[in-house]
């Protein structure tokens, strides 16, 4: 049965590939299926005819027998399939697929607070009012220990028992790092959703950022996982979640006068505080959070059912003011043309 499931997955992968080539599949173009990288993670999926749940709480798998399970929760419905997974540290998990009518959680208490979220590497996130979430840098904290374990692993003879033990030490460090990051991300998401009715974030191109000079730090921060968890939690608890355009100049835009006078380029990344021509002095991340929150309100208002019913595709911001920054004096470099 797991072999048949692997063939079905391969068929679905080829179907998505050809649909992407023909333009029938939305999103970025995808390549043909490839063999997975060899790792010590294994999985086998069984359909309804290959497993059953015993009255004594054990799981019966065809050709395997009864397995004792430490249940983390009760199943919401009868499962249609089960996946048995083995982690690189030789831990076994079972995941059940069930169908429920409504996956929404009980609605969270209504609050008037709203916040924009400006993600970064120096500080993981800056919220409304200048509240800062420090970047824990889990991988950076474990990197020295990991390097020591990997060097010991490389010195062991291939196929030896000591090499298997050394591989297990490396796998445990990776697993510990991943578990700490997942636990921290879920706690932050729960706190943000509980405290805010409206949540506005940037649509970051995490894939492109993870290929640059700060790739290791971007992977360690796990922005993509954080935004996915935040969007899912907000939808299940009835919160407003809006992604603004990734090209919106939240950092360069002055939150007081609307002029694009902020720092630009790679050199501008080192500037943490800057002064606008109108005299306002801004903190880089705090100013970006204010602009993200205002743009998120505008996008949410434009997408509201009342606005769509009136035929308005764009509206003013939540305060009723104009969307544009208004008239400002041009800088000296902009007053003329190039020779």
């Amino acid at each position: 049965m797991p072999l048949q499931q692997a063939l079905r997955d391969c068929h679905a992968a080829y179907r998505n590939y050809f649909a992407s080539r023909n333009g029938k599949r939305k999103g970025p173009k995808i390549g043909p299926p490839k063999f997975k990288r060899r790792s010590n993670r294994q999985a086998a999926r069984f359909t309804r005819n290959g497993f059953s749940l015993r009255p004594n709480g054990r799981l019966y798998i065809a050709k395997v027998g009864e397995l004792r399970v430490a249940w983390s929760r009760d199943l919401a419905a009868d499962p249609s399939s089960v996946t048995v997974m083995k982690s690189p540290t030789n831990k076994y998990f079972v995941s059940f697929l069930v169908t429920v009518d409504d996956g929404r959680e009980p609605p969270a208490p209504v609050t008037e607070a709203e916040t924009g979220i400006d993600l970064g590497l120096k500080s993981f996130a800056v919220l409304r009012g200048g509240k800062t979430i420090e970047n824990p840098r889990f991988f950076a904290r474990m990197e020295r220990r990991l390097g020591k374990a990997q060097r010991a692993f490389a010195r062991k003879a291939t196929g030896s028992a000591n090499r298997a033990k050394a591989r297990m030490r490396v796998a445990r460090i990776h697993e510990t790092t991943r578990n700490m990051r997942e636990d921290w991300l879920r706690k932050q998401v729960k706190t943000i959703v509980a405290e805010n009715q409206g949540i506005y974030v940037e649509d970051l191109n995490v894939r492109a950022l993870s290929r640059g000079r700060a790739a290791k730090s971007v992977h360690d921060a796990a922005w993509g996982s954080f935004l996915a968890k935040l969007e899912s939690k907000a939808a299940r608890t009835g919160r407003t979640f809006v992604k603004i355009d990734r090209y919106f100049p939240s950092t360069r835009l002055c939150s007081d006068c609307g002029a694009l006078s902020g720092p630009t380029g790679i050199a501008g990344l080192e500037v943490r505080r800057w002064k606008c021509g109108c005299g306002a002095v801004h903190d880089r991340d705090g100013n970006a959070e204010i602009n993200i929150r205002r743009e998120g309100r505008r996008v949410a208002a434009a997408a509201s059912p009342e606005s769509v019913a009136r035929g308005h595709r764009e509206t003013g911001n939540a305060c009723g003011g104009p969307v544009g920054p208004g008239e400002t004096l041009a800088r000296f470099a902009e007053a003329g043309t190039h020779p």
Side-chain angles (χ1 to χ4, degrees):
M1 191 171 294
L3 296 178
Q4 296 175 0
Q5 297 301 321
L7 291 177
R8 290 191 180 96
D9 293 341
C10 182
H11 172 69
Y14 271 110
R15 185 173 53 197
N16 293 335
Y17 165 62
F18 288 118
S20 178
R21 288 286 300 272
N22 298 333
K24 298 179 181 179
R25 187 178 188 273
K26 297 181 179 180
K29 299 293 183 182
I30 61 175
K34 299 179 181 179
F35 285 104
K36 292 183 179 180
R37 289 183 58 185
R38 185 177 181 182
S39 66
N40 289 280
R41 175 182 171 84
Q42 303 176 21
R45 189 163 72 252
F46 298 85
T47 54
R48 193 183 301 273
N49 295 332
F51 74 97
S52 63
L53 298 176
R54 300 303 194 195
N56 58 3
R58 298 198 172 191
L59 171 66
Y60 173 79
I61 299 292
K63 305 293 185 180
V64 176
E66 291 189 354
L67 303 177
R68 184 165 55 89
V69 179
W71 296 91
S72 61
R73 68 185 69 180
D74 295 330
L75 297 178
D78 293 334
S80 59
S81 69
V82 61
T83 303
V84 182
M85 297 168 288
K86 177 185 176 184
S87 70
T89 55
N90 292 340
K91 295 179 182 177
Y92 290 86
F93 300 89
V94 289
S95 175
F96 295 91
L97 178 64
V98 299
T99 302
V100 294
D101 296 333
D102 187 5
R104 294 175 60 89
E105 299 179 4
V110 178
T111 176
E112 299 298 328
E114 295 179 325
T115 183
I117 301 178
D118 180 63
L119 298 176
L121 294 178
K122 182 178 177 62
S123 299
F124 179 80
V126 175
L127 309 180
R128 182 174 184 173
K131 180 181 178 181
T132 302
I133 301 176
E134 296 300 327
N135 191 354
R137 303 180 186 273
F138 292 109
F139 182 79
R141 285 157 47 183
M142 302 288 287
E143 193 171 10
R144 183 176 179 182
R145 181 179 168 189
L146 176 63
K148 183 178 179 180
Q150 288 177 331
R151 288 192 295 271
F153 172 66
R155 289 193 294 265
K156 299 299 185 287
T158 303
S160 64
N162 286 335
R163 185 177 177 86
K165 295 178 183 177
R167 185 203 66 79
M168 189 66 67
R169 295 190 192 99
V170 174
R172 288 198 189 100
I173 295 174
H174 280 296
E175 184 180 64
T176 301
T177 306
R178 182 174 61 253
N179 291 342
M180 289 192 303
R181 183 185 296 113
E182 284 291 315
D183 178 69
W184 184 83
L185 288 176
R186 293 183 185 280
K187 288 179 179 177
Q188 298 303 320
V189 167
K190 182 178 180 181
T191 302
I192 293 174
V193 171
E195 294 177 350
N196 299 279
Q197 183 67 32
I199 303 170
Y200 312 114
V201 301
E202 291 181 291
D203 185 16
L204 294 177
N205 190 358
V206 181
R207 178 176 295 181
L209 293 172
S210 62
R211 297 172 181 171
R213 297 169 59 184
K216 186 187 295 186
S217 299
V218 172
H219 282 293
D220 194 9
W223 291 333
S225 178
F226 171 74
L227 293 177
K229 289 179 174 60
L230 187 62
E231 183 176 8
S232 175
K233 186 73 171 178
R236 286 184 282 115
T237 54
R239 299 305 199 195
T240 301
F241 182 86
V242 175
K243 282 186 178 181
I244 67 173
D245 188 78
R246 66 179 55 173
Y247 300 108
F248 178 73
S250 59
T251 302
R252 297 179 54 207
L253 191 66
C254 175
S255 58
D256 286 1
C257 67
L260 291 174
S261 57
T264 61
I266 297 178
L269 296 177
E270 302 296 332
V271 179
R272 308 312 304 176
R273 295 182 65 86
W274 55 278
K275 184 176 181 180
C276 179
C278 65
V281 179
H282 298 293
D283 176 77
R284 178 190 182 93
D285 298 331
N287 176 72
E289 185 276 327
I290 295 175
N291 291 326
I292 291 173
R293 178 159 30 101
R294 289 177 178 173
E295 178 68 8
R297 286 175 178 172
R298 187 191 68 81
V299 174
S304 63
E306 295 80 5
S307 178
V308 174
R310 289 195 301 266
H312 296 168
R313 298 190 61 85
E314 290 189 356
T315 65
N317 57 24
C319 300
V323 178
E327 296 182 357
T328 58
L329 292 176
R331 291 178 293 178
F332 177 76
E334 298 177 355
T337 60
H338 293 288

